[in-house]
Amino acid sequence: MLIESLKTLFNRDLIKLKNEIESYQNESDIWKIQKGIANSAGNLCLHLVGNLNTYIGAEFGKTGYIRNRALEFSLKDIPRAELLSKIEETIVVVDNALDNISEEELKMEFPLLVFENKTSTEFMLIHLTTHLAYHLGQINYHRRLLES
C-alpha cells in the first residue's frame, strides 16, 4: 500500500518538476541565480535527479548509477531538453525500482547511512518524497521571481 502511494507521489512531483523546467520562458533563466539564492533551478533539477537515481535507482533498481554530487551544483547551462530527458528517465527508474521493494523491506534498515543515524527504508523513502517537494517548491518560486 505504501509503495503505491510513494509511486504516485514521486510520479506526480517528477512530472511537476518537468512542467516547471518547461515553463521557464527563457531557457537561460533556468541557470540564473539572484542575490541571496544559492542554487539555480537547473542545479536543483540535477540534484533531484542525482538524489533519486542514487537512493532509489541504484539501491533498489540496481541501475549501476554513480553519483557525482559536486557536479549537480557546479554544472551550468545544460540544455533544457537534456534536463527534461533526465527527469523522464528518472520517472521510469523510480517507478521500476519501487516495484522491487516489498512491504517487509520497508521496515528494514536502509542499506546506506545517509544521516547521522541509521533509518528504515520506509523513513528514507518518505524523506525522499519531502526532499523532492521541498526543492520543487524552490524551483517554482525561482521561476516566478525571475518572470515577474
Side-chain angles (χ1 to χ4, degrees):
M1 175 94 156
L2 178 61
I3 293 294
E4 288 307 313
S5 296
L6 289 168
K7 286 174 68 170
T8 298
L9 292 170
F10 281 119
N11 190 59
R12 178 197 71 188
D13 288 350
L14 285 167
I15 289 171
K16 182 63 178 159
L17 174 61
K18 185 178 171 208
N19 292 339
E20 284 295 334
I21 298 300
E22 288 172 332
S23 294
Y24 277 81
Q25 293 174 8
N26 298 308
E27 185 171 348
S28 63
D29 285 351
I30 294 169
W31 297 98
K32 285 186 180 175
I33 55 171
Q34 296 289 343
K35 183 180 177 183
I37 298 175
N39 296 306
S40 69
N43 289 118
L44 290 172
C45 179
L46 291 172
H47 173 60
L48 289 168
V49 164
N51 187 273
L52 294 174
N53 275 287
T54 298
Y55 296 124
I56 298 177
E59 209 49 51
F60 298 105
K62 306 299 181 208
T63 61
Y65 182 85
I66 305 287
R67 186 178 196 185
N68 187 334
R69 192 174 188 279
L71 286 180
E72 295 168 14
F73 295 100
S74 64
L75 288 173
K76 303 293 179 211
D77 301 320
I78 306 298
R80 181 193 333 243
E82 188 174 335
L83 291 175
L84 296 173
S85 178
K86 287 178 182 294
I87 296 167
E88 289 170 1
E89 291 166 6
T90 302
I91 290 170
V92 173
V93 164
V94 168
D95 195 59
N96 290 339
L98 289 175
D99 282 338
N100 293 330
I101 304 172
S102 69
E103 292 291 329
E104 297 78 38
E105 286 177 290
L106 289 173
K107 305 297 181 204
M108 296 171 64
E109 187 177 291
F110 187 72
L112 302 173
L113 180 63
V114 179
F115 306 111
E116 211 171 286
N117 298 309
K118 295 177 180 181
T119 64
S120 68
T121 295
E122 178 179 58
F123 178 90
M124 185 62 183
L125 292 173
I126 292 169
H127 164 76
L128 291 171
T129 64
T130 62
H131 178 261
L132 172 57
Y134 175 76
H135 288 312
L136 179 57
Q138 289 179 314
I139 292 168
N140 173 268
Y141 199 63
H142 176 266
R143 179 182 55 77
R144 291 183 295 118
L145 276 175
L146 289 177
E147 294 178 355
S148 61

